[in-house]
Amino acid sequence: MTDVTVIGGGIGGLSAAQELAERGFDVTVYEANDRFGGKARSMPIADGPEPLHGEHGFRFFPAFYRHVVDTMERIPDGAGTVADNLVETEATLIASTYQPDRIAETGTPDSLRGWLEALRPAFAEDLPADDVRFLLERLAYLLTACEQRREHELDEISWWEFIDAENRSQEFQDRLAFATQSLVALRPEVGSARTIGTIYMQLLFGQLDPTRPTERILNGPTNEVWIDPWIEYLDRLGVEFHPGTPARGLTFDGRRITGVELADGSRANGDEYVLAVPVEVAPEFVTPELARAAPELGRIERLETAWMNGIQFYLAEDVELTRGHQVYADAPWALTSISQRQFWTGYDVDEHGPDEVEGVLSVIASDWETPGIVYGKPAKHCSREQIATEIWEQLKRHLNGPETRLTDELLVDWFLDPALVEVGSRSETHRGDGDAVDGVENRSPLLINTVGALRNRPPADVGVRNLTLAGDYVRTNSDLASMESANEAGRRAANAICRRHGIRDEARIWDLEEPAFLEPFKRQDRIRYRLGLPHPAEVTQSLRTFADRLGGRV
């Protein structure tokens, strides 16, 4: 039996552990936190019996998530599996301070008219016709580009530049800005056209696929309905867990990893090692010797991160809003939210404290650089209490129009992501004095796919004889920093280990799906790329010309 040491108990590490344990490997997982799940974990908001849970941010499973859902389908939970705890959304509320609310249906359409109506908010609503036509032409360019061109050309320009946003209408700029930043904590000015464009299209394709729900969320706090059953299942498979056990380094003899140095001074040994720590932590494990042996490891430190953190507001009444997400189109901190209780069929709020809580509004802030409306400061320069006050006020300004949905009397308590730690001169015991705080530092930032970042993302198998990587910064088909990408990376790490030990039963890896009728155009562009020729739409052609070519090919 081969011993595998996994460093990090987030989604990537647990995914690798499951694939390996199911194939007979002896797996041990070391996790720095006292709870497993990484950025996906939920945690009690207070001491005492049965407290409510708070989270880094709400979980979101669009249709193109294949790897993580497949894993969930193999985790027993009661009479079914953890995947049974996924609940389909129905609509997204797009709230604004200067125009009426808009509703975008997220249920899978069952007619052509339904498809057109579902896509209208993404393409046409409130946008000038010229802008809509141009965006469709750009998306056609993206979809007919070969993979080599996407990787070596489209990854080298920003989404903002690719869609020529600077020369488009203000409505166009606003729509594309909130659509991308709320989704991936990534400003379109710096995000790769390859990543943002690909994920944007995957979300749209998912809405047109009648075989899969467009998007789903969990029916309870993440640990209650996913992570805890996962740990129980892995424990039954023989996986050994060490929570609250941070690692501080790897020992390397020039050819292979010989051990893991733990923070308490002890040492962990194995035959194989999976490094599954977050992107901001990984460079601490890369010694100069390791970087020379595997140059991909040395480039991890060049990857950039951004902040995308959550807060939960606990309410005296259940304010349902829409049965899905809410997007706050002109909120300076790029807010999105979910009113959770309507989905929490697997979790009884009444059985958890505080007693007066009837509703949970979970909010994610994606812009920490823009000044807010209350204190006139970016979120990162506010205290934790100021952040909560600011986000609450931004929500009220968007939701309280003709109908008052949120009032201060409704607010019972709040829970802000504990990864946001106050910095400044005052001590931890004087948390009420917000003015004495310089701001917060984020100890759990998110990888962002900036222009040219792909060249710095390592493969799961980096070429060191017994080391693999499992994190959302690894090169994956999923591409975006997410649970899906982390799960795929864990599978790739497990597959590399299986190949080393002659095991042919590898974990499945899915490609992102795009319409089959586009393949002839991709093949044509592959030839053009090899010949050094530009894509036919390098200088944007008219949509009618593209449609004529498409009609002639199909």
Side-chain angles (χ1 to χ4, degrees), residues 9-11 14 31-44 53-59 221-224 226-228 278 312 415 417-419 443-444 483:
I11 302 303
L14 294 179
E31 167 56 39
N33 292 306
D34 60 355
R35 294 174 71 82
F36 293 93
K39 292 183 179 70
R41 75 188 187 280
S42 59
M43 59 213 85
H53 275 225
E55 304 193 90
H56 178 81
F58 53 77
R59 309 273 66 77
T222 309
N223 273 60
E224 295 273 328
W226 177 18
I227 305 300
D228 290 349
Q312 285 75 48
F415 179 86
D417 186 350
R443 296 182 180 175
S444 187
M483 300 177 293

Side-chain angles (χ1 to χ4, degrees), residues 45 256 467:
I45 67 171
R256 55 190 299 120
L467 176 67

Side-chain angles (χ1 to χ4, degrees), residues 52 341 344 347-355 357-360:
L52 284 163
R341 186 171 184 179
W344 280 2
Y347 181 81
D348 191 348
V349 171
D350 293 334
E351 294 182 358
H352 298 76
D355 293 339
V357 173
E358 295 293 334
V360 181

Side-chain angles (χ1 to χ4, degrees), residues 143-146 515-528 549-550 552-554:
L143 288 171
T144 57
C146 65
F517 68 80
L518 295 170
E519 286 305 316
F521 296 97
K522 294 179 187 177
R523 287 197 297 270
Q524 182 187 59
D525 189 52
R526 203 170 294 125
I527 296 171
R528 294 180 64 89
R549 292 180 61 223
L550 184 61
R553 288 291 186 127
V554 183

